[in-house]
Amino acid sequence: MALYILIFSVIVFTCVFLNKFSGKIGIPVLLFFLMLGLLCGGRYDEFAATRGWLVEDVSTIALIFIMFYGGFGTRWKAAKPIVVEAGLLATLGVALTAVFVGLFCRFGLGWAWLESFLMGAVISSTDAATVFSILRSRKLGLKNNSAPLIEVESGSNDPMSYMLTAVVLSLFSGDISAGGIVWKVFSQVVFGAGGGLIISTGAVFLLRRISFRNNGFDLLLFISIALSSYALPVLVGGNGFLSAYIVGIVLGNTEFPERKTLVSFFDAITSLMQIVIFFLLGMLAIPSHLLHSLVPALIIFAFLTFVARPLAVCGVLAPFRKYPFRQLSLVSFVGLRGAASIVFAITILTSGVALQNDIFSIVFCIVLVSIAFQGSLIPAVARNTGMIDTNADVMTTFSDFSENAAMSFGAIRITESGRWDNCLVRELGLPQDCIIALVVRGEKRIVPRGDTRLRAGDEIVLCSRSYQDESTDSLIMHNISENSKWIGRKVREFPSNDSDLVVMIQRGNEKVIPNGNTVLKKDDVLVILKREKVS
């Protein structure tokens, strides 16, 4: 047991280390874990008989969190203008991609009909978490709403791929009728979407009435909601992944105190879940089978990337007449294959369906090439198609974006001896990037104008551009103890480096903003801003 825990901790540590390393060389970190799992050398045929269900369940749980975060991390305000196009890409676009790949496998590679369309269904969706990671890490601002279009499509198209895979697997058994297929599709969509709306409504009702005071139970609640959003619809025949995405997008765009913290939490959880899935894929792959499947995988990948996906994207978006060809080219290329395709391929293995072709190994190779080739080239393709917008902030498409994040507020009090006492606002000579946002005068709150006269006792709320540079600035605290030699001395005498500054003194319940003549007292807590010295 201890050995397994150590291995898991090493894997997580490696994830953190490689994540920084991959950003420098432009290769997604998941590629390393795919290869790491392959080096561990698992054998699925020795594993499936006894513990195959465990692999499928673990990968399904991982995909639940990926789907939930696909919605939770999407900012609805940015997604709303393109939700129709993204929804069509996530449904009709996925179906067209599956059909095109299926027809190619049937007529181009000579596969059987059902096996051909099973291949198309498994590989038809794009990977949300990898796309999110690349866009955020590279800060790729894109023109014409391309970023939210790509993010919403990739975050919401896995349910369609799962439904197609489930339908084709049912056809293999031969005991499902045309009516059964219609009912399966109907129940998947209606119960999945309906379950997601009901669960999200209940969750929002709960969140607005319960405060956890940051004790960690809010994280447990959201984990429970994410898992329930999948499990409950599945119990009645619905699409659990669709439900998880809907619940995620509703909760991610609902205002509550812990929302931004939860985005960071689920971002980390999603990264871990991706690692689990890609590591499992690598472990279950058999090197000899991969070599045998490499050629058909490369052929299918080339057709998928340069024919099927572009045809599907153009077929869906071209009728809108507002997307230029260069944008269609970028959206087509960004269709990376990843975690969902892996999970669905594992589902095929555990289903016991007899296949003439090793779809699992082919999916492994396609995902490997997609991440290594497409993932590393996305910035270059965006640049060469002229779709990069240097003035756009890609973070505005994520739900942890705050529209007032670029602003900072502070407060000062006007004293009788101060230079601002009895001055008009327009006479203060404030810097260009600083304004007085509010004047608090007793019980009154005054929105000031240029002719507003300030008085002693007023509390002035100043607004300016925020500054944050975590690499150079840090705050430390220094206690003035009972026997300290600095009691009774002035702040300007306090020893510090030339680049350090005492920015605040905590004196009991009072917060004092000091100047050089402020006298230090026993039990004062000095807040010191330490900065790198500029030579």
Side-chain angles (χ1 to χ4, degrees):
M1 181 66 179
L3 178 61
Y4 293 131
I5 294 175
L6 177 61
I7 292 173
F8 179 77
S9 65
V10 170
I11 290 173
V12 174
F13 173 80
T14 308
C15 166
V16 176
F17 175 76
L18 289 180
N19 191 48
K20 286 188 171 291
F21 179 67
S22 67
K24 295 180 179 180
I25 64 176
I27 299 177
V29 67
L30 294 176
L31 178 61
F32 292 104
F33 285 95
L34 199 63
M35 302 306 297
L36 183 61
L38 183 61
L39 291 175
C40 290
R43 290 291 187 273
Y44 188 83
D45 50 1
E46 300 171 1
F47 189 85
T50 57
R51 288 173 287 175
W53 60 270
L54 179 61
V55 176
E56 183 179 9
D57 289 349
V58 169
S59 58
T60 298
I61 291 173
L63 188 57
I64 291 170
F65 284 104
I66 292 173
M67 285 299 305
F68 181 83
Y69 178 66
F72 196 80
T74 299
R75 184 166 173 255
W76 178 249
K77 185 176 180 180
K80 190 175 181 179
I82 48 81
V83 69
V84 174
E85 297 95 305
L88 288 173
L89 280 177
T91 52
L92 180 59
V94 168
L96 288 174
T97 302
V99 169
F100 292 148
V101 172
L103 292 174
F104 176 75
C105 291
R106 174 69 183 101
F107 294 106
L109 301 179
W111 289 18
W113 278 106
L114 285 180
E115 202 162 325
S116 297
F117 286 110
L118 183 61
M119 182 73 238
V122 169
I123 208 70
S124 57
S125 68
T126 58
D127 188 69
T130 304
V131 172
F132 285 14
S133 176
I134 292 173
L135 292 179
R136 294 185 71 145
S137 63
R138 298 303 186 86
K139 293 182 171 57
L140 282 179
L142 303 176
K143 297 178 180 177
N144 200 23
N145 284 325
S146 296
L149 177 64
I150 293 167
E151 290 157 14
V152 175
E153 183 227 351
S154 60
S156 61
N157 60 14
D158 293 339
M160 185 65 177
S161 179
Y162 171 77
M163 184 174 68
L164 294 175
T165 302
V167 169
V168 178
L169 283 176
S170 298
L171 292 174
F172 268 94
S173 64
D175 57 357
I176 186 171
S177 62
I181 293 175
V182 172
W183 170 251
K184 192 175 188 69
V185 172
F186 175 83
S187 62
Q188 285 270 307
V189 174
V190 173
F191 296 152
L197 292 174
I198 293 172
I199 294 169
S200 60
T201 301
V204 170
F205 178 85
L206 189 64
L207 287 172
R208 287 176 174 171
R209 285 159 178 80
I210 295 180
S211 176
F212 292 97
R213 299 183 184 276
N214 296 321
N215 58 8
F217 281 93
D218 53 337
L219 302 180
L220 296 178
L221 173 64
F222 269 79
I223 290 174
S224 174
I225 291 173
L227 295 175
S228 299
S229 67
Y230 170 85
L232 292 176
V234 167
L235 290 175
V236 295
N239 192 316
F241 296 119
L242 175 60
S243 174
Y245 179 78
I246 291 174
V247 173
I249 201 168
V250 171
L251 296 186
N253 289 274
T254 299
E255 289 297 331
F256 53 93
E258 301 85 4
R259 182 170 60 86
K260 292 184 70 173
T261 302
L262 285 166
V263 171
S264 300
F265 171 75
F266 277 104
D267 190 20
I269 288 292
T270 299
S271 298
L272 182 60
M273 294 300 103
Q274 279 194 296
I275 289 169
V276 169
I277 291 177
F278 278 75
F279 188 74
L280 277 177
L281 177 63
M283 282 195 65
L284 299 181
I286 302 173
S288 60
H289 290 189
L290 294 179
L291 291 175
H292 185 264
S293 303
L294 182 59
V295 172
L298 290 175
I299 294 173
I300 294 173
F301 170 78
F303 179 83
L304 172 66
T305 305
F306 300 110
V307 180
R309 167 77 177 173
L311 284 176
V313 170
C314 292
V316 171
L317 297 184
F320 288 92
R321 300 180 180 276
K322 62 179 181 179
Y323 297 101
F325 178 75
R326 57 197 178 92
Q327 185 175 11
L328 298 178
S329 300
L330 176 64
V331 174
S332 299
F333 188 82
V334 174
L336 276 71
R337 312 297 142 172
S341 297
I342 296 170
V343 175
F344 302 154
I346 292 174
T347 301
I348 293 173
L349 283 176
T350 58
S351 68
V353 172
L355 301 173
Q356 294 180 346
N357 297 279
D358 188 356
I359 289 182
F360 178 83
S361 297
I362 292 174
V363 168
F364 178 100
C365 295
I366 291 175
V367 170
L368 179 67
V369 176
S370 179
I371 292 175
F373 175 70
Q374 289 175 276
S376 59
L377 289 181
I378 284 177
V381 172
R383 184 170 55 253
N384 291 331
T385 54
M387 288 303 298
I388 292 181
D389 185 353
T390 55
N391 296 319
D393 183 1
V394 71
M395 296 304 297
T396 61
T397 64
F398 297 100
S399 61
D400 56 340
F401 172 76
S402 177
E403 292 182 338
N404 63 354
M407 297 161 49
S408 181
F409 293 90
I412 61 174
R413 189 171 295 277
I414 305 298
T415 61
E416 291 184 0
S417 59
R419 289 184 299 171
W420 284 11
D421 182 25
N422 204 37
C423 286
L424 299 177
V425 168
R426 62 169 172 261
E427 298 173 344
L428 300 180
L430 294 174
Q432 181 178 356
D433 294 332
C434 181
I435 64 170
I436 296 179
L438 187 68
V439 177
V440 181
R441 181 173 294 163
E443 298 296 324
K444 295 182 180 180
R445 280 165 170 73
I446 303 169
V447 177
R449 305 175 66 88
D451 58 356
T452 300
R453 187 173 296 278
L454 303 180
R455 301 176 184 173
D458 287 350
E459 187 172 16
I460 308 301
V461 180
L462 296 169
C463 177
S464 64
R465 290 190 302 112
S466 63
Y467 173 78
Q468 186 175 17
D469 188 355
E470 296 178 356
S471 64
T472 58
D473 290 353
S474 62
L475 293 173
I476 65 169
M477 302 180 74
H478 180 84
N479 296 323
I480 303 297
S481 61
E482 183 178 2
N483 300 319
S484 174
K485 65 179 181 179
W486 299 106
I487 296 176
R489 306 276 291 273
K490 295 181 179 180
V491 166
R492 66 167 175 263
E493 301 177 75
F494 189 80
S496 64
N497 297 323
D498 292 340
S499 55
D500 292 349
L501 178 68
V502 178
V503 295
M504 190 182 75
I505 299 175
Q506 181 71 46
R507 182 170 290 165
N509 295 325
E510 184 183 6
K511 291 181 172 62
V512 178
I513 304 300
N515 56 41
N517 293 321
T518 302
V519 177
L520 301 178
K521 298 181 179 180
K522 181 174 74 73
D523 295 328
D524 279 353
V525 179
L526 310 185
V527 180
I528 302 172
L529 177 66
K530 295 189 69 67
R531 294 164 292 178
E532 289 183 355
K533 196 170 183 177
V534 179
S535 58

